[in-house]
Amino acid sequence: MVNDFVVRFANVNGTGSASANYLFAKSIFRMGIPVSPKNIFPSNIQGLPTWYEVRVSEKGYLGRREGIDIAVSVNPQSIVEDIKGIAPGGYFIYDSTKPLHEELFRADVTFLGIPMMETCNREFSDPRQRLLFKNVMYVGALSALIEIEYTVLEQLIGEQFKGKEKLIAPNLKALQLGIDYAREHFECPLPMRLERRDLVGNQIITTGNSACGLGAVYGGATVAAWYPITPSTSVAEAFDDYASELRIDSEGRKNFAIIQAEDELAAIGMVIGANWNGSRAFTATSGPGVSLMNEFLGLAYFAEIPAVLIDVQRVGPSTGMPTRTQQSDITLAAYASHGDTKHVLLFPSTPTECFEMTAKSFDLAEQLQTPVIIMSDLDLGMNDHMCDPFTWNDKYEYDRGKLLDADDLEKITRFGRYLDVDNDGIPYRTFPAVHPSKGAYVVRGTSRDEYATYTEDSPAYKRNMDRLVRKWNTAKTYVPKPEVYQKHSPARDAMLFFGTTTQSALEARDYLGSIDAMRLKSFPFCQEVADFIVKYDRVFVLEQNRDGQMRSLLITEFNADPKKFISVLNYDGLPITAAQIVDQISIHMTSGRKK
């Protein structure tokens, strides 16, 4: 098995294993081999089991795969389940400082014991270093067992500790201890091994949250208001880091503001106020935060104020599993707030799209004068992903939509904030105080007429609501188009998927053969989605939630026959796999052939 296996590290949260595990994954990437790491960690600070899965795939399959080929265990708490999870013919590498109980051994698994703690206690005097270097030691053992190039590891350690050169030598020592032990006691390499390739091109590895933070800077954001919540906190942290480098004026002053609010409700209120006043502002949160923000999102929709919200979804309801992934905020975000309310949603599937969609979302929010919600999730936001490099045209000019300045207002006899001049549902707006006497109006969440004057007149309210429907239909021509995966002649069946289901969906399509597919990138659904769906007898909707929320959205928006849409679901908190997709779809294909 060359360049095609899964390695899983079983650690204890808070023991410094993350950097060693990332060193392992990145070294494979540096060897030109596609790799996909997944960090599975608890919601407490320290002491519980944590896992780090690395899929190696020469074919470039980057979705999570079930079945562990090599397990590295340094956590006695989870060792029973870790051994159970190994595929037949796999390998179990463990710290043999203390012997394993006989009942733990499996005849179909090869056990490789390495006295990691004993060796580190002997070779290093500092107690903290002993714990940390145990992790580096198992990376060294793996490098001998599966043939990771030493020069790559050496280079990465040098990069990691640049500016802290005194740490390089002991890390290299720990690495070599693992290499030497493996070569002396085991047959190296294993049948599962690596060979250098040139399959990653100029791709990079990064997280979706980091990409969103950078995208906000390039999108022109100058204000971020937020309240910490897993798994979105690192979006605001990334924005702070990038803005501190890129939004500094010639005198060294910051040209941005980051406000940690007292709660999510205050955060979205600040964002709406800043956007109304002319800034480009955003917030980042997860499902519980979106729940709190509902009333303010309704205000922004009805008062027609731009806003950008990055929703990094996690498992609900309530607190749920804060450090597990899901796509379960779909209906919450699409119809956030009471009354007849609809919001624009964007569905990135890679960090590259996180960057691009976040950057463009500020234009979209101002063009449509409405909230735009970017639907990321924990898997995309917090895990490292291979993706295309980010690109940007330095000549790009922001599109602020239908915005009137002082000269424009001077030409108007009476400014009507909610007049539909162009019959596309989008009115003209202006910023406060751009003209000494014209353009002022009251921003309100209550009913008003075309001139922003309070009224409870039924025809005026209905005209306004009908205009918002026209604007919603106009939005269908603004949002990103879906991506179609179709052969020359359409198949009988099709898959619809979005976001982080993408990689596993494309892998499953290779296994299934005769099935077409579409990746949704946005809501509202454009005409291309309707045209695609009508071609097929059955449409399998792939999503990571219990209730088939995207399926429900499709049925509702298209007033479609529910029997046409078949849910393919995963909601255990872990990323969906190609095997899960194939298993669920195959049942229906088999039953269809029998009929």
Side-chain angles (χ1 to χ4, degrees):
M1 296 176 65
V2 177
N3 299 341
D4 185 17
F5 48 85
V6 174
V7 180
R8 188 183 222 201
F9 299 91
N11 303 102
V12 179
N13 201 30
T15 57
S17 59
S19 59
N21 296 342
Y22 183 58
L23 172 67
F24 172 81
K26 197 168 183 179
S27 66
I28 298 172
F29 176 74
R30 287 281 181 93
M31 289 176 63
I33 305 165
V35 63
S36 177
K38 305 290 183 189
N39 194 14
I40 306 166
F41 58 100
S43 56
N44 74 330
I45 296 175
Q46 187 167 336
L48 287 182
T50 181
W51 296 271
Y52 189 81
E53 292 182 5
V54 180
R55 183 177 185 182
V56 181
S57 174
E58 183 155 313
K59 292 182 179 179
Y61 293 139
L62 301 178
R64 181 173 172 265
R65 198 207 79 185
E66 296 170 325
I68 307 303
D69 300 304
I70 301 174
V72 180
S73 174
V74 291
N75 184 5
Q77 297 177 63
S78 64
I79 196 167
V80 174
E81 294 302 316
D82 294 332
I83 293 172
K84 286 181 181 179
I86 303 172
Y91 295 82
F92 185 72
I93 301 170
Y94 65 100
D95 186 353
S96 60
T97 300
K98 292 184 178 180
L100 282 184
H101 292 292
E102 290 184 4
E103 61 268 21
L104 293 176
F105 286 90
R106 283 175 49 186
D108 59 349
V109 171
T110 301
F111 287 75
L112 305 176
I114 303 172
M116 303 176 199
M117 200 70 253
E118 177 186 322
T119 303
C120 289
N121 286 343
R122 182 179 67 246
E123 298 292 336
F124 302 101
S125 58
D126 183 87
R128 177 63 176 166
Q129 283 191 342
R130 289 170 174 171
L131 185 64
L132 295 173
F133 290 152
K134 180 175 69 172
N135 304 320
V136 181
M137 186 178 174
Y138 66 62
V139 173
L142 275 170
S143 74
L145 290 166
I146 63 173
E147 295 197 313
I148 303 175
E149 295 174 4
Y150 180 82
T151 54
V152 171
L153 290 166
E154 185 179 37
Q155 181 183 22
L156 286 170
I157 288 174
E159 292 173 5
Q160 181 179 348
F161 295 105
K162 186 177 181 180
K164 302 177 181 178
E165 279 71 17
K166 66 179 182 179
L167 295 176
I168 294 176
N171 273 274
L172 291 176
K173 178 182 177 181
L175 190 74
Q176 193 64 50
L177 287 170
I179 294 172
D180 293 342
Y181 190 91
R183 286 177 177 169
E184 182 179 347
H185 293 86
F186 311 128
E187 185 177 345
C188 297
L190 300 177
M192 300 174 190
R193 60 185 181 84
L194 302 170
E195 285 183 3
R196 176 175 280 276
R197 295 286 189 266
D198 187 14
L199 299 173
V200 303
N202 65 340
Q203 288 188 302
I204 61 174
I205 287 185
T206 190
T207 67
N209 282 359
S210 180
C212 284
L214 184 61
V217 174
Y218 275 82
T222 56
V223 175
W226 67 297
Y227 183 78
I229 181 173
T230 302
S232 72
T233 297
S234 55
V235 174
E237 293 172 344
F239 177 74
D240 186 15
D241 289 342
Y242 290 123
S244 296
E245 179 182 350
L246 301 173
R247 288 206 177 282
I248 304 297
D249 66 17
S250 57
E251 298 181 5
R253 294 174 300 193
K254 293 183 176 180
N255 285 331
F256 65 95
I258 299 177
I259 307 159
Q260 181 174 327
E262 60 268 33
D263 53 36
E264 291 90 347
L265 188 62
I268 190 64
M270 293 173 186
V271 167
I272 292 169
N275 278 290
W276 168 79
N277 201 43
S279 295
R280 285 190 157 187
F282 78 99
T283 189
T285 190
S286 192
V290 179
S291 296
L292 287 174
M293 295 176 181
N294 262 235
E295 186 175 358
F296 260 141
L297 285 169
L299 170 65
Y301 170 82
F302 197 58
E304 298 180 72
I305 301 171
V308 172
L309 191 163
I310 300 168
D311 178 8
V312 189
Q313 299 167 89
R314 71 188 203 186
V315 174
S318 189
T319 306
M321 292 194 292
T323 58
R324 297 291 188 268
T325 194
Q326 259 186 15
Q327 297 172 313
S328 54
D329 295 350
I330 306 301
T331 51
L332 167 67
Y335 304 127
S337 196
H338 55 281
D340 295 321
T341 311
K342 292 183 179 181
H343 298 294
V344 174
L345 310 181
L346 303 180
F347 302 106
S349 65
T350 65
T352 304
E353 287 190 339
C354 285
F355 170 78
E356 294 171 348
M357 288 186 177
T358 302
K360 297 298 176 66
S361 67
F362 294 93
D363 277 3
L364 192 59
E366 293 199 306
Q367 288 168 333
L368 297 171
Q369 300 173 34
T370 197
V372 172
I373 306 176
I374 298 166
M375 304 299 291
S376 181
D377 59 37
L378 183 145
D379 179 26
L380 178 56
M382 295 192 70
N383 284 322
D384 289 293
H385 296 263
M386 282 177 47
C387 63
D388 293 329
F390 307 157
T391 59
W392 186 259
N393 181 1
D394 289 335
K395 296 181 180 179
Y396 181 83
E397 294 184 4
Y398 301 134
D399 188 339
R400 310 215 67 175
K402 296 182 178 183
L403 182 63
L404 303 178
D405 60 19
D407 292 337
D408 296 325
L409 289 169
E410 192 63 43
K411 301 171 186 176
I412 298 174
T413 302
R414 184 184 180 192
F415 173 59
R417 172 64 181 94
Y418 299 107
L419 284 172
D420 190 2
V421 176
D422 302 320
N423 200 37
D424 59 2
I426 305 174
Y428 285 80
R429 66 182 181 126
T430 186
F431 293 147
V434 299
H435 190 282
S437 60
K438 293 184 176 182
Y441 66 96
V442 176
V443 180
R444 62 176 84 246
T446 48
S447 180
R448 71 281 163 140
D449 64 13
E450 287 79 357
Y451 295 92
T453 302
Y454 171 76
T455 180
E456 294 187 18
D457 177 62
S458 294
Y461 170 80
K462 187 175 183 300
R463 287 196 306 273
N464 187 62
M465 295 301 288
D466 290 343
R467 179 183 58 77
L468 288 171
V469 171
R470 287 197 298 277
K471 182 165 78 168
W472 183 250
N473 289 326
T474 299
K476 296 175 183 178
T477 66
Y478 280 69
V479 296
K481 305 296 183 186
E483 186 170 355
V484 177
Y485 309 85
Q486 187 180 52
K487 297 179 180 179
H488 295 298
S489 57
R492 172 190 169 187
D493 300 316
M495 298 189 299
L496 278 182
F497 51 85
F498 58 97
T500 51
T501 59
T502 299
Q503 293 294 342
S504 292
L506 294 178
E507 181 180 356
R509 182 170 178 259
D510 286 349
Y511 301 147
L512 290 166
S514 181
I515 191 166
D516 294 336
M518 171 177 277
R519 177 164 71 91
L520 301 172
K521 293 186 179 181
S522 58
F523 176 73
F525 304 124
C526 58
Q527 186 60 41
E528 287 85 344
V529 179
D531 293 341
F532 180 84
I533 289 171
V534 76
K535 297 177 183 178
Y536 301 94
D537 296 337
R538 297 179 300 193
V539 177
F540 297 96
V541 185
L542 284 50
E543 49 189 314
Q544 300 184 80
N545 56 69
R546 184 195 67 183
D547 295 339
Q549 295 181 27
M550 183 61 77
R551 175 181 179 272
S552 297
L553 206 60
L554 289 160
I555 292 169
T556 299
E557 293 299 313
F558 289 125
N559 193 25
D561 181 0
K563 295 180 181 178
K564 183 167 191 168
F565 297 94
I566 301 171
S567 287
V568 176
L569 305 175
N570 176 63
Y571 46 92
D572 62 4
L574 299 174
I576 195 169
T577 68
Q580 291 170 329
I581 296 169
V582 170
D583 288 347
Q584 293 183 57
I585 291 179
S586 295
I587 293 171
H588 294 277
M589 287 185 164
T590 302
S591 62
R593 283 195 294 269
K594 287 180 180 179
K595 292 178 182 178

